[in-house]
Amino acid sequence: MAKKIRLNLFDMNVIGHLAHGIWNHPSDERRRFNELSYWVELAQLAERGKFDAIFLADILGVCDIYQQSRDISVKTGMQVPANDPMLIVPAMAQATTHLSFAVTISTTYEHPFSLARRLSTLDHLTNGRVAWNIVTTAVTSAARNFGLSEVIQHDNRYDIADEFLEVCYKLWEGSWEDDAVVLENGIYADPAKVHEINHQGQYFKVEGPHLCEPSSQRTPVIYQAGNSDRGRKFAARHAECVFVGGTSMDAVRYYTQDIREKAKAYGRDPEQLLMFKGLNVVVGKTAGEARDKFEDYKKYWSAEGAWAHFGGSTNLNLADYDPDEIFEYVETVGNQTHTAQYSKFGNKKRTVREVMEAIGDFGGSAGGANMVVGTPIEVADYIQHLVEEAGIDGINLAQVTTPGTVKDFIELVLPELQNRGLVKEEYEEGSYRQKLFGGNGRLPDHHPGARFRKVGLAK
């Protein structure tokens, strides 16, 4: 393989991310998630393992759809409590040199002017090691937390996101010219080279100028994690890295091919979009050791937590269904990808009972990511097969136990991947975008954000 597989550590500023209930395992340190030292140690560990980035998920409300109650989420620690992911990044960046950070932030419940400012500040403080994972937020309780009576309709959320990105591009790419900062003869910046953007749109009105001078990347690396039809169109237009869903090889291949074809139709280089797949790994020096670990972890797994997570994500309360009826795809305001993966892909229709068993089975879905259990060779074989057959470029490694999963991966799997030449042995220099794509660290010319570089120059 010519290309190197990119490695992200997939995490969340919570006690329970996707390994529902396993925070209660004796070896797990997730109880320390409120401690800054916990995150600093995790970042340093990821950098020792030559991970490209820590990818931080987020949620803005409690998952309360399953059984029409938040109690299971609260009881099992299923993504509640949930702390702000952005605030831990500066400390992790200070403790590392090369590791980058992808932060999940919703376009539905933010304002582009203030968010652009925060991300520019973070890009400055990290020396260009920041990415933004764009989501539109399907959780119904989040809508109520922000004063809405109901969730904004699915496709409309992406319409808002498109304009949100346009405002951000204008602020990041066009508000300050490259040579606006002077720093000579008592002049900090040339006023003639700092411009208002005067955006007047359907959803936002922003005068500007951007309150931050340009950071090294200007626009942070853009991730996107929605795989519905509308989400894939959004990814094809804006994303540089895409977190694709699907628990089968066919589904993952479909998503990666479709997004690249759509990107080409937008005039972008489809090979400049990197596709990442979530992965759970339980590895041992022998197959028996790996299986013993898996069975041990399974004792702590919470199927209820998994059902609550599915409900919060999709807005479907599986407890309302007849267990023996066929689970058909239902288009909701929620995450359509998670619904589709249990109904649209595969030849066999499943009953609601079978779907609940699959969601609640630790070895089945484990939070929507693929699960591989085995020796270092078996895990490396699976990752290589996933890359070659499904067309992905990297994995988001979800933690089963923290930091045991990462330590095992670094000790056992990483050397095997390096021996095969599949992953890097040393970091590239430069900003996150330079590490991923080379070049000068700026958005490529084929990216739609690049066309806003001249905005504001005409008075």
Side-chain angles (χ1 to χ4, degrees):
M1 291 176 59
K3 68 180 182 182
K4 301 294 184 185
I5 300 170
R6 296 294 179 174
L7 301 176
N8 288 342
L9 177 59
F10 188 25
D11 214 317
M12 192 171 180
N13 195 354
V14 293
I15 192 167
H17 181 204
L18 295 179
H20 307 301
I22 300 182
W23 59 266
N24 199 39
H25 190 277
S27 70
D28 201 289
E29 297 185 17
R30 292 202 74 91
R31 288 181 176 87
R32 296 176 53 211
F33 81 103
N34 283 319
E35 302 173 18
L36 199 55
S37 59
Y38 167 87
W39 295 103
V40 168
E41 292 164 14
L42 189 64
Q44 291 172 328
L45 178 62
E47 185 160 82
R48 286 200 296 274
K50 301 298 186 291
F51 278 73
D52 293 272
I54 292 181
F55 182 107
L56 292 165
D58 195 22
I59 194 168
L60 296 174
V62 179
C63 292
D64 59 1
I65 298 298
Y66 181 66
Q67 296 184 350
Q68 299 180 347
S69 172
R70 60 175 169 78
D71 290 357
I72 289 176
S73 295
V74 174
K75 180 182 72 173
T76 62
M78 201 294 295
Q79 299 185 0
V80 58
N83 293 344
D84 192 313
M86 185 178 283
L87 296 180
I88 58 177
V89 170
M92 291 193 290
Q94 176 66 20
T96 55
T97 303
H98 292 284
L99 186 70
S100 296
F101 307 93
V103 183
T104 298
I105 307 170
S106 174
T107 53
T108 305
Y109 302 113
E110 292 275 356
H111 192 281
F113 183 79
S114 57
L115 179 59
R117 181 192 188 199
R118 297 206 316 273
L119 283 170
S120 289
T121 302
L122 203 57
D123 203 46
H124 279 297
L125 295 178
T126 62
N127 197 25
R129 290 187 279 153
V130 172
W132 172 20
N133 176 45
I134 299 169
V135 296
T136 63
T137 306
V139 177
T140 56
S141 63
R144 298 192 299 272
N145 289 336
F146 286 86
L148 303 180
S149 59
E150 59 184 19
V151 177
I152 297 171
Q153 289 300 306
H154 181 275
D155 287 5
N156 191 23
R157 296 201 306 270
Y158 279 103
D159 294 338
I160 294 170
D162 275 323
E163 187 179 333
F164 195 114
L165 265 292
E166 180 179 335
V167 177
C168 287
Y169 294 145
K170 289 176 178 178
L171 292 167
W172 287 327
E173 298 294 329
S175 186
W176 290 61
E177 296 183 36
D178 286 340
D179 57 352
V181 177
V182 178
L183 288 174
E184 291 181 357
N185 301 320
I187 299 174
Y188 185 82
D190 183 348
K193 296 183 178 182
V194 179
H195 310 283
E196 287 75 21
I197 65 169
N198 293 315
H199 177 86
Q200 298 284 327
Q202 181 178 355
Y203 303 104
F204 303 105
K205 293 178 174 59
V206 179
E207 181 181 81
H210 189 34
L211 282 180
C212 301
E213 66 180 89
S215 62
S216 62
Q217 296 187 121
R218 282 187 176 254
T219 298
V221 172
I222 301 295
Y223 272 78
Q224 197 269 346
N227 293 146
S228 65
D229 181 66
R230 183 65 175 88
R232 294 195 303 277
K233 291 176 182 176
F234 183 88
R237 184 180 178 195
H238 298 284
E240 299 172 274
C241 301
V242 185
F243 188 3
V244 294
T247 54
S248 70
M249 199 71 69
D250 288 342
V252 178
R253 185 186 304 110
Y254 170 79
Y255 287 136
T256 57
Q257 292 177 349
D258 184 67
I259 292 169
R260 287 197 167 105
E261 288 172 3
K262 285 179 168 61
K264 187 175 181 180
Y266 279 121
R268 299 184 62 195
D269 180 354
E271 298 307 313
Q272 288 292 299
L273 276 72
L274 302 183
M275 306 291 173
F276 288 80
K277 179 70 186 73
L279 190 66
N280 288 283
V281 171
V282 178
V283 61
K285 293 178 182 178
T286 66
E289 180 183 316
R291 180 55 56 178
D292 288 344
K293 285 183 181 180
F294 176 82
E295 293 298 329
D296 182 38
Y297 298 153
K298 196 172 183 178
K299 297 173 186 175
Y300 297 87
W301 167 259
S302 171
E304 282 188 321
W307 296 330
H309 180 245
F310 180 85
S313 173
T314 62
N315 202 34
L316 292 174
N317 179 13
L318 293 176
D320 279 347
Y321 287 72
D322 178 348
D324 295 317
E325 72 176 283
I326 295 298
F327 183 73
E328 299 285 1
Y329 177 78
V330 179
E331 189 169 294
T332 71
V333 295
N335 187 316
Q336 297 177 4
T337 306
H338 286 177
T339 308
Q341 71 187 29
Y342 291 103
S343 59
K344 282 191 172 183
F345 295 102
N347 297 321
K348 179 181 177 294
K349 290 285 188 178
R350 289 186 274 193
T351 65
V352 172
R353 179 181 284 105
E354 290 172 325
V355 169
M356 290 189 70
E357 288 173 352
I359 294 169
D361 179 11
F362 175 51
S365 61
N370 290 52
M371 170 69 75
V372 56
V373 180
T375 65
I377 291 176
E378 290 171 330
V379 173
D381 284 346
Y382 183 85
I383 293 173
Q384 184 170 353
H385 181 67
L386 189 61
V387 171
E388 293 175 344
E389 294 299 317
I392 67 166
D393 302 279
I395 62 170
N396 280 349
L397 179 69
Q399 301 203 74
V400 180
T401 62
T402 307
T405 295
V406 188
K407 287 182 176 179
D408 286 346
F409 189 90
I410 292 171
E411 177 187 350
L412 300 174
V413 181
L414 185 65
E416 179 64 29
L417 293 173
Q418 289 176 332
N419 288 340
R420 300 183 188 193
L422 300 180
V423 297
K424 63 180 173 297
E425 296 190 28
E426 297 296 337
Y427 281 105
E428 302 89 344
E429 294 297 325
S431 68
Y432 189 26
R433 185 174 284 110
Q434 287 174 306
K435 285 175 166 61
L436 293 175
F437 303 106
N440 63 3
R442 299 283 300 278
L443 284 175
D445 291 340
H446 65 80
H447 191 281
R451 71 183 178 90
F452 294 103
R453 287 174 184 156
K454 300 299 183 183
V455 70
L457 296 184
K459 297 297 183 183

